Amino acid sequence: MNSSRLLLLWTLGSAVPAGLAAQQLTLADALARAAATGYPNRAARAQASAEHARTLGALQGMLPTLRVEGGWVRTTDPLAAFGSLLRQRAVTLAAFDPASLNDPAARSNWNAGLVAEVPLFNADAWAGRSAARAGARAAAATADWTAATTRLQVVQAYYGARLASEVVLTLEVAEAMAAAHVTQANSKLEQGMVTRSDLLLAQLRADDIRAQLIGARAQAGLARRQLALVLGAPTDTAFALSDSLPSPERIRGVAELLAPVALAGRADVAAAKAAAEAAGRDVLRATGRLLPRLSAFGRYDWNDRTAPFHGERSWTVGVMASWTLFSGFSEIGDVRGARARATAARAMAEAAEGQAALEVSSRESDVTVALARLTIAEQAVDQASEAHRLVSRQYVGGLAGITELLGAQATETQTRLGLAQARVALITALAARQLARGSDPAALTALEE
């Protein structure tokens, strides 16, 4: 079987899976699965929820507190016994008998009450609430960045698995070519046109390709497991993937489509800025601890000798101010620590912006290089295929030896593998550029549309 017929079979083999795309795991399907079950996404969403919950806890020093109290006492303490008598509205003239006052009989009292406390001025609580809200925004932005990063990982793993499948297919074609060369060398040996060394060299080449194919199939299995892990289901590798990659023309078309995308705000930079804002608000919270606090309170009580929420009722309202003048330097230490954390957070926000700008330039360069390498890889395949065809004809005519023929076949196989790698390198470079510019790596689904 000559190389042109084998190449035709290779092309047909590459085209068959494309027709079954509706039954296979597409990139859009993989992205959807990772969004729902990917480990980083799930952890980031949980962390964002936890930070959001902290904003509710910060309301404690701002909103009223309402609680129910109840208790029972029995005492012979003179002051407590007479106080229970007063609360129960049971005082008579006999209660003022000195003997009863000094040595009262044991008296029981059920007390129940509703207590409301209303903060009027609590500077550290308001600042703490603001800091918690900024922290929640930072966590939400971090979750968004995690989701975008996961989408990049899905693109890389998805096309890594498809590249591994194409490598297997290319080596299967090479194995068939090598088998054809062995058959051809054996025929020539029987005709006395070549020596036994030609047959041995052809068999050696076939064995080498077979060994490469074994390794490629193992790598394809690992690539599928890597993709399953990114999707959050490491044991589910039963999905089907296309054996062929998008054509170079299709990839270039998508690259041109994505090229004009303007630089958007990156979620990681937004998270760093929100974290810096939260740290700044935390400085205000710590400083607020040095200020006085003012609160109002009210009580509604029941006191009875036999049962709770019975008997006579009473109410109490009031306003209370408190100001801690010294508590062992804890407030001062808190302020200094908060200021240091704010300084660090601002530095990290500036670094995030600088890193983002650097990554944009780097990823633009990666795309440019990948486009150039794809063009070179295409030319190499054309040249290697033509060289293999010419050497095959020369070998048939006795003008070339088996070494030249096997070398030409090896070169063609390597250039085809290089073209597949160049296509995937450009796809992943485009996805990485999307992420660096603050856009969505999921835009690479356009390759399958």
Side-chain angles (χ1 to χ4, degrees), residues 11-51:
T11 303
L12 292 175
S14 300
V16 170
L20 302 175
Q23 302 175 6
Q24 296 167 346
L25 178 69
T26 65
L27 178 58
D29 296 334
L31 290 168
R33 288 178 58 178
T37 60
Y39 298 123
N41 287 340
R42 288 156 54 188
R45 286 195 297 266
Q47 184 62 36
S49 297
E51 289 298 322

Side-chain angles (χ1 to χ4, degrees), residues 221-298:
L222 291 176
R224 293 173 67 87
R225 293 184 62 180
Q226 176 64 34
L227 175 57
L229 180 62
V230 173
L231 299 183
T235 60
D236 181 11
T237 57
F239 48 80
L241 294 174
S242 174
D243 291 330
S244 63
L245 294 167
S247 66
E249 294 75 15
R250 181 61 180 166
I251 301 174
R252 288 194 184 93
V254 172
E256 292 176 0
L257 179 67
L258 299 180
V261 174
L263 182 64
R266 287 179 35 153
D268 62 332
V269 176
K273 289 181 177 179
E277 180 185 355
R281 301 284 184 179
D282 193 56
V283 174
L284 297 179
R285 176 204 59 78
T287 304
R289 293 182 60 192
L290 301 173
L291 300 177
R293 297 182 182 182
L294 184 64
S295 301
F297 65 91

Side-chain angles (χ1 to χ4, degrees), residues 335-406:
V335 171
R336 291 182 179 179
R339 287 175 178 171
R341 290 190 294 271
T343 300
R346 287 193 298 269
M348 293 177 67
E350 294 174 7
E353 289 187 285
Q355 180 66 27
L358 177 61
E359 287 183 5
V360 169
S361 299
S362 177
R363 299 302 173 260
E364 291 286 359
S365 177
D366 290 344
V367 170
T368 301
V369 172
L371 282 167
R373 287 180 174 174
L374 179 60
T375 300
I376 294 172
E378 287 182 287
Q379 295 173 352
V381 168
D382 292 339
Q383 294 167 355
S385 298
E386 179 64 13
H388 187 196
R389 186 186 66 82
L390 293 175
V391 172
S392 295
R393 295 180 60 182
Q394 293 171 356
Y395 181 72
V396 172
L399 300 178
I402 191 66
T403 302
E404 290 83 359
L405 177 61
L406 297 178

